[in-house]
Amino acid sequence: MRAIEIIGTGSCVPHHTITNDELAQSIDTSDAWIYPRTGIHAREFCTARQSTVTMAVEAARKAVADAGIPVTGIRAVLVATMSPDFSTPSTACFVSEALKLREDTAALDLNAACSGFIYALETARGILSGIQEMEQGDAPLYALVIGAEQLSRLLKLEDRTTSVLFGDGAGAVIVKLTEAGRSDYAITLGSRGSRDILAPGLYTGAIDKSVDHMVMDGKAVFVFAVEIIPRLIERVLRLSGSDLAQIDYVLCHQANARIIRHVVRKLQVPEAKFPMNMERLGNTSAASIPILLDEMHGNGTLRGGEKLLLAGFGGGLTFGGMQLRFRPEDRT
Ligand code: UT7
């Protein structure tokens, strides 16, 4: 089976920290309300000179350097985002321009909200597999897959039901197309049409109201998340013929520590298998899993050879689970 494996990571967070206590100076909220319900103490918001594009480009450069590959090997760049700077050119085309990627590199943004990074990885596998079939070449094929979000541009600070939850950031990986057995790669994607999370959009007649900032039925999303994540994990493991003991880390979308702890209790596994970083960054939607990956690689948690399971859920509603390997060559 054609699979992908991660061979490099990078990230960019704005370093303009807004703590819960700072938010509480301008809106009616408190760290005592936010932290126990979400696990979030702070988030990073872009400064005037930063945006989805600038963060995506910086994360991409770091991932390329970390992978140690020439940019000429990259044949696809995908950016998962629901907060792009422009509808067109896509964020991916800005990255392509900044990194001077070759002309026969596919470039596109995709929006599957907080599940977007997993959708983008699988899309990259499809594009690289197509190139392999067409060209039948020997050169290794790589894709640059990015999750980048400036969610602060979608929020209305006064709406405390959403403004305290989200943050800005970007994470990127370089993936390589490989041949792998069933136990090394598995993917499941899905969706369930629902308006439980809405981001700014115009009234079209298809929905009953226009929305000028992110709105969410928090309780409904919580119930959805704690139902879907264990099912995604079980389905991925069934597809790969693995059990959870063979997986080194499960990287869930970093929306809420309470959701992840619920899953940990349900599956009766050690919490250390489910790393978290929303305490410092909030929910960065499609960027949350690749930022976490880069942090784990940077601090030595990921050394190469690990089997990872990724689980994402979010607006749409969308969801996705994936099993793949991290730098398998490093273990040999
Ligand atoms: O990527 C997907 C991201 N989405 C999520 O992860 C959301 C999942 N949902 C949740 O984590 C929780 O539903 C929230 C943390 C969003 C909300 O927690 P909750 O316990 O479900 O609170 P609630 O919405 O039922 O609100 C309880 C009270 C309300 O006041 P009243 O009506 O009881 O007087 C809210 O107005 O808390 C109030 N409230 C707040 N108070 C202080 C809502 N937001 C805040 C706030 N600070 N930021």
Side-chain angles (χ1 to χ4, degrees):
M1 173 174 84
R2 289 201 176 105
I4 47 171
E5 59 195 29
I6 296 172
I7 63 156
T9 66
S11 66
C12 169
V13 292
H15 298 301
H16 174 49
T17 309
I18 313 282
T19 64
N20 292 346
D21 290 337
E22 285 168 305
L23 280 179
Q25 289 169 16
S26 40
I27 56 172
D28 181 16
T29 191
S30 63
D31 187 59
W33 191 94
I34 301 167
Y35 187 69
R37 282 175 179 76
T38 65
I40 297 168
H41 268 317
R43 72 287 296 141
E44 307 284 340
F45 281 169
C46 285
T47 62
R49 300 182 66 80
Q50 294 171 312
S51 72
T52 299
V53 165
T54 69
M55 294 187 295
V57 168
E58 186 175 328
R61 285 193 204 287
K62 289 177 178 167
V64 172
D66 182 50
I69 58 156
V71 287
T72 48
I74 296 171
R75 299 295 302 276
V77 50
L78 291 100
V79 181
T81 183
M82 59 188 246
S83 51
D85 292 12
F86 300 99
S87 302
T88 192
S90 66
T91 316
C93 285
F94 279 97
V95 172
S96 181
E97 179 188 40
L99 270 64
K100 299 187 171 38
L101 300 184
R102 49 194 272 182
E103 198 178 82
D104 55 357
T105 300
L108 75 152
D109 288 3
L110 65 81
N111 177 357
C114 305
S115 319
F117 181 68
I118 295 170
Y119 272 71
L121 285 171
E122 175 63 358
T123 306
R125 181 174 78 106
I127 293 172
L128 294 183
S129 300
I131 293 170
Q132 178 70 58
E133 277 175 21
M134 287 296 128
E135 299 182 2
Q136 304 276 319
D138 294 331
L141 296 174
Y142 303 104
L144 173 55
V145 182
I146 303 167
E149 302 281 14
Q150 186 180 358
L151 297 173
S152 56
R153 61 164 45 129
L154 308 185
L155 302 173
K156 188 189 272 181
L157 194 59
E158 309 86 72
D159 183 352
R160 64 182 184 172
T161 65
T162 47
S163 62
V164 304
L165 303 176
F166 297 95
D168 299 341
V173 297
I174 297 288
V175 295
K176 180 183 178 190
L177 189 71
T178 59
E179 285 294 326
R182 261 176 69 95
S183 64
D184 286 327
Y185 190 82
I187 174 74
T188 176
L189 300 172
S191 61
R192 189 186 294 173
S194 157
R195 297 167 202 169
D196 286 341
I197 307 175
L198 290 171
L202 294 174
Y203 172 78
T204 62
I207 58 171
D208 52 9
K209 61 180 175 187
S210 63
V211 174
D212 68 353
H213 68 283
M214 184 111 78
V215 293
M216 179 173 66
D217 179 344
K219 279 198 193 308
V221 176
F222 191 96
V223 170
F224 159 65
V226 298
E227 177 232 334
I228 202 71
I229 299 172
R231 284 178 48 205
L232 286 171
I233 293 171
E234 282 158 17
R235 191 181 295 178
V236 167
L237 292 174
R238 199 167 58 243
L239 289 170
S240 70
S242 311
D243 69 50
L244 204 43
Q246 295 167 288
I247 302 295
D248 294 289
Y249 295 102
V250 179
L251 280 74
C252 289
H253 164 48
Q254 300 290 294
N256 184 315
R258 211 156 47 106
I259 290 174
I260 295 179
R261 294 206 174 101
H262 210 282
V263 173
V264 164
R265 278 197 303 277
K266 186 164 182 188
L267 298 177
Q268 299 187 310
V269 287
E271 193 175 303
K273 213 178 189 99
F274 285 68
M276 294 185 241
N277 68 0
M278 77 288 284
E279 181 169 348
R280 290 171 284 111
L281 300 177
N283 176 347
T284 57
S285 188
S288 82
I289 291 176
I291 292 174
L292 182 60
L293 267 170
D294 186 49
E295 285 186 359
M296 292 172 68
H297 182 34
N299 68 22
T301 307
L302 296 180
R303 294 160 182 270
E306 288 84 3
K307 283 192 172 190
L308 304 177
L309 200 155
L310 315 181
F313 62 92
L317 299 169
T318 59
F319 40 93
M322 171 175 281
Q323 186 181 317
L324 81 177
R325 295 191 305 169
F326 181 79
R327 292 172 88 130
E329 289 91 356
D330 289 5
R331 183 152 284 184
T332 55

